[in-house]
Amino acid sequence: MLYKTPICSLLGIKYPVIQGGMAWIGTCELASAVSEAGGLGIIGSGHARPEWLREQVRRMRELTDNPFAVNLMVVSPFLKDNLRMIIEERVPVVTFGAGNAGGYIPMLKESGIKVMPVVSAVALAIRMERLGVDAVIAEGMESGGHIGDTATFPLIPQIVDAVKVPVIAAGGIADGRGLAAAMALGAQAVQMGTRFVCSTECIAHINYKEQIVQARDRSTSVTGATTGHPVRCLTNRFSREFSALEKSGASMEEMEDLGKGRMHSGVISGDIEQGSLMAGQVAGLIKDIKPVKTIIEDIIEEAGSVIKKISSASCQEVAP
Amino acid sequence: MLYKTPICSLLGIKYPVIQGGMAWIGTCELASAVSEAGGLGIIGSGHARPEWLREQVRRMRELTDNPFAVNLMVVSPFLKDNLRMIIEERVPVVTFGAGNAGGYIPMLKESGIKVMPVVSAVALAIRMERLGVDAVIAEGMESGGHIGDTATFPLIPQIVDAVKVPVIAAGGIADGRGLAAAMALGAQAVQMGTRFVCSTECIAHINYKEQIVQARDRSTSVTGATTGHPVRCLTNRFSREFSALEKSGASMEEMEDLGKGRMHSGVISGDIEQGSLMAGQVAGLIKDIKPVKTIIEDIIEEAGSVIKKISSASCQEVAP
């Protein structure tokens, strides 16, 4: 049994599985594999230049005929150029990461582009819905990378109750149990980042993938809360150094200096001690590196059997 | 449709719904109502004296013939006396809160008492299983009161995979969607605290209950992380003062002094600004104060319709 929710029709995808838009490693290699396998692949732009992003979009079109998205960072210095390029290239879907995307939604909607911002709180979800977004990606604080305060379990139903647009659950999800649970909480799809890092197709360094595979439940920690931009990563020498600097009351400039280039050295060059290795608390649940198609099919199959199990085998009907 | 899992048979309860053991307000008034309604009521002992606790257990037996539990705090100065009393009174089930309960499990098990410790990490769950516990209550950091690091969504499946004993999910759960989602993640029951505070029967001050009803998704915050004992409460003047003191690098003694008596003044006397009001991130989902029986029946009914919905209505079978 395979499951299809209304958001699948909206986005034109086969399965309610969306890949998180990750800077550096959410390239067309990973995104096209996700879209080809029936999910929604997302090219993560981070602070990338418009030329690079345009090339990614064009290569994406060569690799798959299926729908895909581009994730934009509101704080990127190239945001406006990237928006123009996305409209020119008729990218079907845009997701927004860090920052308030409010001002950019109308121009994308007018160009017929679907917009799905990441939200970590009810108030922002309501604001985004008023601006006409097609769905919201509600992301719990167990997620990797930039995070909010509220965890997925209490966040999803509160956002589902507050908006009418479809809700995509993100944070803490890596398998079919997570997809089934997210649907029980009222989500129509899931977005996963950490799980897709550990795919054959993702260009992330093998050292980074292996660190996720070896991670346990408490292997991640959050740094940067004092800067207003908390980030969850695998705990390593760099995260401990950053944390110590933060506690010492260092200036924003000192912290930015220490953080410079760390993501590239971690996820691309594979420096597992001095690099920044973004990962969610779900890392402890990920035990293998496998092809994207297998990841997605395993999740869909497991979700089906989980739903079947909780609706019959493990439950007995009892007379009231 | 009503649902029964193996843990219901183990504990002799009708519904897989367990009330969190809360100090001051988890009295036999609330606990007996939960047990009478088919869940597992828990008398919360906190730092209470054995005489008070023995009286609670005896009154509990007058109020219900159904199974119930006592929650013990390992850090209580009266722990050993309470343990002796529990064995004498043949309390059917004991749950353990804050602290490592390892040393006390064998004596309870030898007396035929079922033991279910609260765990917030995989390693502790494994250690507790080795000591012969009957189940573990896996509690996410979105929970109210004393918390760990990991959120419910990623925590439950990681603990389910690590132990063979039944897992009860706690943290972030207040309705039937939460029960269905917890079961999808592999839990056999849910434990809820904040939801049961907002019951007619709970002796908590009405001001405290109303603060929960008015709460939103971001109304709670965590204090005490630097002491090694983080606690989640509704954000108010007291929590902000405590947080400021904590950031100023105050001594443990100063923090203890500031915190003294705050829980009583908050939850019993109803001082919503100067008292400590423990609550989970799920507070924003709780919109009413209603009888325990209605809370439990609503959850069971909603869980049933959610499971039905995700297994049929919202999902179409698609040819592979």
Side-chain angles (χ1 to χ4, degrees):
Chain A
M1 282 222 289
L2 311 170
Y3 292 89
K4 208 166 181 174
T5 60
I7 206 173
C8 291
S9 314
L10 178 78
L11 299 173
I13 55 178
K14 188 174 173 189
Y15 301 124
V17 174
I18 293 166
Q19 165 232 324
M22 300 172 284
W24 292 109
I25 54 172
T27 61
C28 60
E29 284 83 358
L30 173 59
S32 65
V34 173
S35 288
E36 272 296 288
L40 185 74
I42 302 191
I43 300 167
S45 65
H47 285 55
R49 292 176 176 277
E51 310 85 75
W52 178 87
L53 194 55
R54 192 190 294 266
E55 198 219 322
Q56 283 284 314
V57 168
R58 293 188 173 171
R59 281 180 59 201
M60 188 76 182
R61 285 234 158 83
E62 289 165 18
L63 294 167
T64 182
D65 293 328
N66 291 343
F68 65 95
V70 167
N71 175 264
L72 293 177
M73 296 265 285
V74 179
V75 294
S76 161
F78 306 109
L79 178 66
K80 287 190 181 168
D81 290 337
N82 281 334
L83 281 163
R84 198 173 312 121
M85 182 280 292
I86 277 168
I87 292 169
E88 284 168 12
E89 297 285 334
R90 300 171 180 265
V91 170
V93 184
V94 166
T95 69
F96 276 105
N100 185 341
Y104 311 103
I105 292 168
M107 61 185 285
L108 289 169
K109 290 299 301 169
E110 281 162 24
S111 307
I113 295 169
K114 296 193 177 70
V115 181
M116 314 194 299
V118 175
V119 297
S120 58
V122 170
L124 184 59
I126 292 171
R127 245 184 1 255
M128 292 293 114
E129 180 178 47
R130 284 201 193 117
L131 289 166
V133 300
D134 298 278
V136 292
I137 302 164
E139 185 175 75
M141 57 70 71
E142 53 266 67
S143 167
H146 291 272
I147 57 169
D149 306 310
T150 308
T152 301
F153 218 103
L155 182 67
I156 302 304
Q158 291 187 61
I159 290 190
V160 165
D161 288 349
V163 299
K164 288 192 185 71
V165 294
V167 175
I168 296 158
I173 303 163
D175 62 19
R177 292 175 288 187
L179 171 56
M183 288 175 70
L185 293 176
Q188 288 196 17
V190 293
Q191 176 176 289
M192 302 186 300
T194 315
R195 175 62 269 192
F196 281 122
V197 173
C198 291
S199 65
T200 321
E201 292 89 342
C202 180
I203 65 158
H205 196 283
I206 184 68
N207 293 357
Y208 171 34
K209 296 183 187 181
E210 281 178 352
Q211 283 300 105
I212 295 173
V213 169
Q214 283 159 29
R216 301 186 187 185
D217 54 327
R218 299 183 68 198
S219 294
T220 71
S221 51
V222 178
T223 52
T226 59
T227 70
H229 300 289
V231 171
R232 183 181 302 282
C233 292
L234 293 174
T235 306
N236 62 4
R237 195 182 302 170
F238 165 64
S239 73
R240 281 188 291 263
E241 264 176 39
F242 193 98
S243 199
L245 185 69
E246 201 176 355
K247 271 181 197 143
S248 78
S251 69
M252 283 287 270
E253 211 175 16
E254 285 174 278
M255 287 190 274
E256 273 172 23
D257 270 358
L258 183 65
K260 224 166 207 167
R262 298 293 186 148
M263 197 173 167
H264 187 275
S265 66
V267 307
I268 300 293
S269 310
D271 186 340
I272 57 170
E273 279 305 331
Q274 299 287 356
S276 171
L277 306 174
M278 293 190 181
Q281 288 185 338
V282 87
L285 207 59
I286 297 164
K287 300 291 177 208
D288 50 17
I289 300 161
K290 54 190 181 184
V292 161
K293 192 167 186 291
T294 314
I295 292 175
I296 294 181
E297 288 177 353
D298 286 355
I299 284 174
I300 297 298
E301 195 189 314
E302 191 185 23
S305 66
V306 161
I307 292 172
K308 207 171 161 186
K309 188 182 163 199
I310 62 172
S311 65
S312 60
S314 79
C315 306
Q316 307 165 5
E317 207 167 323
V318 178
Chain B
M1 282 223 289
L2 311 170
Y3 291 91
K4 210 168 179 172
T5 59
I7 206 173
C8 293
S9 315
L10 179 78
L11 298 171
I13 55 178
K14 190 174 173 187
Y15 300 124
V17 174
I18 294 166
Q19 166 232 323
M22 300 173 285
W24 293 108
I25 54 172
T27 62
C28 60
E29 284 83 357
L30 173 58
S32 65
V34 173
S35 288
E36 272 296 288
L40 185 74
I42 302 191
I43 301 168
S45 64
H47 285 56
R49 289 174 177 280
E51 310 85 74
W52 178 86
L53 193 56
R54 191 189 294 268
E55 199 219 323
Q56 284 284 314
V57 167
R58 292 187 173 171
R59 282 179 60 202
M60 188 76 182
R61 285 236 158 83
E62 290 165 20
L63 294 166
T64 182
D65 293 328
N66 292 343
F68 65 96
V70 167
N71 175 263
L72 293 177
M73 295 265 285
V74 179
V75 294
S76 162
F78 307 110
L79 178 66
K80 285 188 182 169
D81 290 339
N82 282 334
L83 281 163
R84 199 174 311 121
M85 183 280 292
I86 277 167
I87 292 169
E88 284 167 15
E89 297 285 336
R90 299 170 179 265
V91 170
V93 184
V94 166
T95 69
F96 278 104
N100 185 343
Y104 310 104
I105 291 167
M107 62 183 286
L108 290 169
K109 290 299 301 169
E110 279 161 26
S111 306
I113 295 169
K114 294 190 179 73
V115 181
M116 313 194 299
V118 176
V119 297
S120 58
V122 170
L124 184 59
I126 293 171
R127 234 167 30 240
M128 293 292 116
E129 180 179 49
R130 283 200 193 120
L131 290 165
V133 300
D134 298 277
V136 293
I137 302 164
E139 186 175 76
M141 57 70 72
E142 51 264 70
S143 168
H146 291 272
I147 56 169
D149 308 310
T150 309
T152 300
F153 219 101
L155 182 66
I156 303 303
Q158 291 186 61
I159 289 190
V160 165
D161 288 348
V163 298
K164 289 193 184 72
V165 294
V167 175
I168 297 158
I173 302 162
D175 63 16
R177 292 175 288 187
L179 171 55
M183 289 174 69
L185 293 176
Q188 288 197 17
V190 293
Q191 175 175 290
M192 303 187 300
T194 315
R195 174 63 270 192
F196 281 122
V197 173
C198 291
S199 66
T200 321
E201 292 89 342
C202 180
I203 65 159
H205 196 284
I206 184 70
N207 293 357
Y208 171 34
K209 295 183 188 183
E210 282 177 351
Q211 283 299 106
I212 295 173
V213 168
Q214 284 159 29
R216 302 186 188 184
D217 55 328
R218 299 183 67 198
S219 294
T220 71
S221 50
V222 178
T223 52
T226 59
T227 71
H229 300 289
V231 171
R232 182 181 302 284
C233 291
L234 292 174
T235 306
N236 63 3
R237 196 181 303 168
F238 165 64
S239 73
R240 280 188 291 262
E241 263 175 40
F242 193 98
S243 199
L245 185 68
E246 201 175 354
K247 271 181 198 143
S248 77
S251 68
M252 283 288 271
E253 213 174 16
E254 286 174 279
M255 287 191 272
E256 272 171 23
D257 271 358
L258 183 66
K260 224 166 208 168
R262 298 295 185 146
M263 196 171 167
H264 187 275
S265 66
V267 306
I268 300 294
S269 310
D271 186 341
I272 57 170
E273 280 304 334
Q274 299 288 355
S276 169
L277 307 174
M278 292 188 181
Q281 288 185 337
V282 86
L285 207 59
I286 296 164
K287 299 292 176 206
D288 51 16
I289 299 161
K290 54 190 181 183
V292 161
K293 193 168 185 292
T294 313
I295 291 174
I296 293 180
E297 288 176 354
D298 286 356
I299 284 174
I300 298 297
E301 196 190 313
E302 191 186 24
S305 66
V306 161
I307 292 172
K308 208 171 160 183
K309 189 181 161 201
I310 60 171
S311 64
S312 59
S314 79
C315 307
Q316 308 164 4
E317 205 166 323
V318 178

